[in-house]
Amino acid sequence: TGRPLLLSGFTKEIFLSEEKAEEDQNIMLDHQLPALTDKLTETKNRRSLIMELGKAVFTAEQKKSPLAVALLNIDDFNIVNETEGHLCGNRVLIEMTGVIQKAIHENGIFGRYRTNEFMIIFSRTKKEQASKILERIRADVENCIFSDKVKVTISGGVNEYQGEDPYKFLNGVEEKLSQAKYCGKNIIVS
């Protein structure tokens, strides 16, 4: 029927039905959701992505399965914001989300990692497979005309987990992205 609940040190027993307990749990989850979701793109935010990466690393180690992680960065995004305005920049971010989600389907966990940077976690995927998906995303973005007739490109870096410290692994992904930016942008480095 119910269970006793202790409130603020008082020894009152309050009996909650199972239905009420489930409803309370759903309310708590609803309050947690904004803390794990990027408000603009309605995808996972950095905090949520880091938690997902931790789970993916654990699973990769336990199951001895491959894991690839990618970072994608919109090239020269500051110029879009400066010339077209931040509202246009926001529309580009939202539309970029759609392009990426369409390309990865169910193949990865995706979200906004930084202002104009996205992360994709490819569980059970080797770096070479992830690179092919990223190259398709890069080409789709290059050929896309976003809001207000804006054209952008993306650069990306992808790395495969080899059992190293997760922070070093993520740092390696960031280094691959930096290489892509340094090599002229609009490329994927693996």
Side-chain angles (χ1 to χ4, degrees):
T1 57
R3 60 190 162 127
L5 181 66
L6 185 63
L7 296 174
S8 305
F10 292 102
T11 54
K12 293 182 181 178
E13 288 187 64
I14 301 173
F15 294 95
L16 301 172
S17 70
E18 290 299 320
E19 186 177 291
K20 177 70 174 145
E22 283 181 32
E23 182 181 314
D24 289 349
Q25 186 176 11
N26 288 337
I27 289 170
M28 285 174 43
L29 289 174
D30 286 345
H31 289 298
Q32 291 173 350
L33 188 61
L36 300 175
T37 304
D38 178 69
K39 291 179 183 176
L40 180 64
T41 62
E42 297 180 355
T43 62
K44 294 184 181 297
N45 65 14
R46 181 185 176 101
R47 177 180 178 196
S48 178
L49 288 166
I50 295 299
M51 289 172 24
E52 292 290 347
L53 180 59
K55 291 183 215 173
V57 164
F58 179 80
T59 300
E61 288 176 348
Q62 294 298 309
K63 296 187 176 183
K64 306 287 188 241
S65 60
L67 169 65
V69 173
L71 289 174
L72 298 171
N73 183 281
I74 303 173
D75 298 323
D76 302 316
F77 187 67
N78 58 329
I79 294 173
V80 172
N81 279 333
E82 290 169 8
T83 59
E84 303 297 329
H86 288 275
L87 290 177
C88 176
N90 286 348
R91 286 191 293 274
V92 168
L93 289 168
I94 292 165
E95 291 172 28
M96 178 75 65
T97 298
V99 171
I100 296 170
Q101 285 176 326
K102 182 179 175 185
I104 65 171
H105 304 287
E106 306 271 325
N107 294 327
I109 296 170
F110 162 71
R112 188 171 172 201
Y113 187 65
R114 292 193 179 110
T115 304
N116 62 320
E117 206 166 282
F118 298 94
M119 178 187 278
I120 307 171
I121 302 168
F122 295 100
S123 295
R124 297 176 312 279
T125 306
K126 291 188 173 287
K127 180 172 60 173
E128 296 77 19
Q129 296 166 295
S131 293
K132 288 178 184 177
I133 296 168
L134 295 170
E135 183 55 37
R136 188 172 60 238
I137 293 169
R138 188 208 58 75
D140 288 349
V141 168
E142 183 179 30
N143 294 319
C144 188
I145 299 173
F146 292 94
S147 285
D148 304 317
K149 299 181 180 159
V150 171
K151 289 196 60 85
V152 296
T153 59
I154 58 170
S155 297
V158 61
N159 209 4
E160 188 171 335
Y161 181 67
Q162 301 294 326
E164 67 270 44
D165 175 82
Y167 292 104
K168 286 184 181 179
F169 170 58
L170 187 53
N171 189 47
V173 178
E174 291 180 351
E175 286 175 10
K176 299 285 186 184
L177 175 59
S178 294
Q179 288 173 16
K181 298 299 238 179
Y182 181 77
C183 291
K185 303 175 186 171
N186 195 25
I187 61 171
I188 304 299
V189 173
S190 58

